[in-house]
Amino acid sequence: MLHAQLETVRIALRMRWHDSNARGWHRPVFRWLAYIVLLAGLWVALSGRLDGLFLAMGIISATAVLSVTEAIFRPGDPVGFERPPARFSWLAGTVFRLVIYFPLLLRDIAVANVHVVHLVLNPRMPISPSLVEFESPLRTEASNAVLANSITLTPGTVTVDMSANRFIVHCISETMRQEIQEGVLLKRVAHVFGEKVEVPKLRNLTSAEEVKW
Amino acid sequence: MAIAGTVLIGVGLFLMAVTVIGLIRLPDFYTRTHAVSKTDTLGIGLVLVGLALHEGVTLVSLKIVLGLLFIFIANPVAAHLLTRSALQVGIMPWTRRDSAREQ
């Protein structure tokens, strides 16, 4: 049992430095550095102490945690997706636009919350749920993940499944369905990641047979 | 600051009350997931922000903000997993047509 685990770790260690597809900012060393800085930053934020001993302990434990969990978070082959450009200007621009994206998302969440509160408290409860699917035109893994999470965070819509480019979304009312149809979030996410997209057509799913896995 | 914090906590508690009402009133699994995971996210979020405002700029409020961040990441993932496994075992969502058939 233990032997098998050690073997897995050994293979993982050997593969880690031979990711031949990785170029520029996708090289493993940058990923490791980013994670260590992130975890050590979290350590400093939670301990609230900046003296050398604590900082060293933080960096050591960040590295230790990373060496155990890195294999889980290592990006695999992005099946069906493109790798994002490895230019620094693209990375900086995307991070900057993501920072602007969050307040907009928060505003959307607040507006949609009022809508859902209205639906729940209205005595007639004017909901009309529907299950829809569409092909996401976004090309990278990260942008699709952000879109799926944004749809789920916005009350009234849940991303039920996302496999490759196919999204299945459950909408609680006609208003929320319209929002998906117009692709409000989709366009915004595409802008953040610097992609040009066409808003895809929605398809209603009404029976279990149509939900092929 | 304290007043703003109290107001935010109040609104957050209202949203969580709506969550519970929705959990009871809504017709099926998927719509209930909407109520539980969404209004709840903002509800807890507002309560935490309110607490952070009460606390002021300290380490404690930083930890509260980190908790907030975690909830905003964990909640959509949980909602996604719940509905996904429900659909995988073949539960189809309730629609207006179903209610017409029942009557």
Side-chain angles (χ1 to χ4, degrees):
Chain A
M1 187 64 198
L2 184 68
H3 183 263
Q5 279 166 353
L6 282 176
E7 183 65 18
T8 322
V9 169
R10 204 175 59 79
I11 292 171
L13 277 171
R14 204 172 53 199
M15 283 167 61
R16 183 168 298 156
W17 302 106
H18 295 284
D19 188 356
S20 57
N21 289 325
R23 296 268 180 276
W25 290 97
H26 298 302
R27 281 209 304 274
V29 59
F30 287 115
R31 204 172 61 241
W32 273 73
L33 279 177
Y35 281 143
I36 288 177
V37 168
L38 200 74
L39 286 176
L42 192 67
W43 171 281
V44 169
L46 289 179
S47 70
R49 294 175 62 165
L50 265 176
D51 45 302
L53 178 66
F54 260 72
L55 216 56
M57 273 159 63
I59 290 172
I60 289 170
S61 49
T63 315
V65 167
L66 197 61
S67 62
V68 176
T69 57
E70 202 264 349
I72 304 172
F73 295 107
R74 179 156 1 106
D77 210 20
V79 184
F81 294 110
E82 289 176 15
R83 278 186 184 278
R87 280 174 285 116
F88 179 72
S89 61
W90 179 87
L91 188 71
T94 298
V95 169
F96 176 70
R97 287 190 296 259
L98 261 182
V99 170
I100 297 181
Y101 174 75
F102 277 114
L104 285 173
L105 183 67
L106 279 181
R107 194 203 58 193
D108 268 18
I109 290 174
V111 171
N113 250 303
V114 172
H115 178 65
V116 171
V117 167
H118 160 75
L119 285 177
V120 168
L121 292 185
N122 190 317
R124 285 184 294 109
M125 214 164 56
I127 57 170
S128 58
S130 57
L131 198 64
V132 296
E133 72 163 6
F134 64 89
E135 291 277 322
S136 162
L138 296 170
R139 290 189 303 271
T140 59
E141 248 179 351
S143 52
N144 275 301
V146 168
L147 176 64
N149 263 4
S150 303
I151 289 176
T152 306
L153 265 175
T154 317
T157 48
V158 183
T159 312
V160 177
D161 186 46
M162 179 211 151
S163 39
N165 285 327
R166 183 197 191 214
F167 275 64
I168 299 181
V169 177
H170 184 263
C171 315
I172 199 170
S173 71
E174 204 48 47
T175 322
M176 299 318 297
R177 192 178 182 281
Q178 283 293 327
E179 204 127 300
I180 300 282
Q181 196 152 28
E182 286 160 22
V184 186
L185 282 170
L186 175 67
K187 279 186 222 156
R188 219 180 282 153
V189 171
H191 172 72
V192 167
F193 286 86
E195 300 183 23
K196 292 237 181 309
V197 293
E198 301 255 316
V199 177
K201 282 216 159 34
L202 294 190
R203 208 164 70 82
N204 274 315
L205 295 173
T206 46
S207 67
E209 286 77 51
E210 285 178 85
V211 193
K212 278 172 254 106
W213 292 95
Chain B
M1 271 315 218
I3 296 171
T6 311
V7 169
L8 283 184
I9 294 175
V11 176
L13 287 179
F14 168 73
L15 282 174
M16 283 157 91
V18 170
T19 301
V20 175
I21 296 171
L23 185 63
I24 298 168
R25 289 197 70 200
L26 290 167
D28 77 333
F29 180 80
Y30 296 95
T31 45
R32 284 188 173 132
T33 314
H34 280 287
V36 174
S37 60
K38 307 321 170 39
T39 17
D40 211 35
T41 312
L42 195 64
I44 295 174
L46 287 179
V47 169
L48 286 181
V49 171
L51 287 175
L53 284 183
H54 265 287
E55 190 63 35
V57 188
T58 61
L59 197 62
V60 176
S61 55
L62 181 69
K63 287 177 190 174
I64 291 177
V65 171
L66 280 175
L68 194 68
L69 202 66
F70 173 73
I71 285 171
F72 266 81
I73 294 171
N75 248 344
V77 174
H80 165 71
L81 281 177
L82 281 173
T83 50
R84 182 185 151 96
S85 43
L87 193 67
Q88 243 165 4
V89 297
I91 303 173
M92 284 310 282
W94 178 93
T95 58
R96 278 280 162 210
R97 265 198 331 223
D98 293 345
S99 86
R101 212 180 299 142
E102 279 162 20
Q103 279 161 12

